[in-house]
Amino acid sequence: MSLNQILLIGNAGRDAELRYTANGRAVANFSIAVNRRWMSNNEWQEETEWFNVSVWGQQAENIANRVRRGARVFVDGRLSTREWTNQSGVTRTSLEVTAFKVLNLSGREEGEEGGYGSYPPAAQETQQAQGGGSSPSPQQAAPVGGGYDQPPEGDDLEDLPW
């Protein structure tokens, strides 16, 4: 068994930018700054780690107008590497986070119903919305892939035991 998961809480470093792939799939990108503080020789030390985050599908469209620079966010995702060639022709590699979930920790903006995120509806809510009465099986409770939009290369994810 193997596992690739990262959990981050930090502040968005830039507004989410929404784009669409050639086949019409939504993808939103933003950065997140995660600070770490510790005491060393009776002085507080601090460092900031920066992560680039990509969010796919319906969730990308949902958060595109809500993730703003400075917003406190929770990101649950997986680490992935991406190779690209810069303008000088040098091949570069970057480490990125492909998000499964993005949640607003800053609170609601005025006039909004609530935060934003990607948790699929609970089985009972899905069932009630469809007018059903009995409990659905786990296969019926959530859409394929656990209800989370994945990037096209997401087919290589292994089944997790939970």
Side-chain angles (χ1 to χ4, degrees), residues 38-45:
W38 71 97
M39 181 72 79
S40 176
N41 298 326
N42 291 328
E43 278 189 44
W44 281 106
Q45 306 292 318

Side-chain angles (χ1 to χ4, degrees), residues 146-158:
Y148 306 117
D149 287 321
Q150 297 294 314
E153 66 273 10
D155 293 338
D156 65 347
L157 294 177
E158 297 181 24

Side-chain angles (χ1 to χ4, degrees), residues 6-18:
I6 185 168
L7 303 173
L8 302 169
I9 296 176
N11 295 81
R14 59 185 163 91
D15 295 354
E17 178 184 329
L18 181 65

Side-chain angles (χ1 to χ4, degrees), residues 109-129:
E109 293 181 25
E110 190 172 326
E112 284 192 5
E113 290 294 317
Y116 49 91
S118 68
Y119 288 104
Q124 283 185 324
E125 292 171 356
T126 303
Q127 177 185 0
Q128 289 171 353

Side-chain angles (χ1 to χ4, degrees), residues 16-154:
E17 178 184 329
L18 181 65
R19 298 179 292 111
Y20 290 88
T21 63
N23 65 359
R25 187 125 191 234
V27 58
N29 296 299
F30 64 96
S31 61
I32 182 173
V34 178
N35 298 315
R36 180 172 82 97
R37 291 185 69 185
W38 71 97
M39 181 72 79
S40 176
N41 298 326
N42 291 328
E43 278 189 44
W44 281 106
Q45 306 292 318
E46 185 171 331
E47 71 178 8
T48 302
E49 294 285 343
W50 287 90
F51 297 89
N52 290 317
V53 179
S54 61
V55 186
W56 292 83
Q58 182 64 48
Q59 183 182 196
E61 293 175 338
N62 291 344
I63 69 162
N65 295 321
R66 294 188 176 122
V67 172
R68 295 284 180 240
R69 183 176 182 210
R72 190 103 172 127
V73 293
F74 165 81
V75 175
D76 177 3
R78 67 180 172 90
L79 290 174
S80 57
T81 56
R82 182 174 65 92
E83 278 193 7
W84 49 280
T85 305
N86 67 13
Q87 293 176 344
S88 303
V90 177
T91 301
R92 309 285 294 198
T93 302
S94 63
L95 185 64
E96 299 178 349
V97 177
T98 302
F100 303 132
K101 301 173 215 158
V102 176
L103 300 175
N104 181 6
L105 300 178
S106 295
R108 297 179 214 173
E109 293 181 25
E110 190 172 326
E112 284 192 5
E113 290 294 317
Y116 49 91
S118 68
Y119 288 104
Q124 283 185 324
E125 292 171 356
T126 303
Q127 177 185 0
Q128 289 171 353
Q130 295 172 349
S134 62
S135 296
S137 70
Q139 291 82 10
Q140 295 170 328
V144 175
Y148 306 117
D149 287 321
Q150 297 294 314
E153 66 273 10

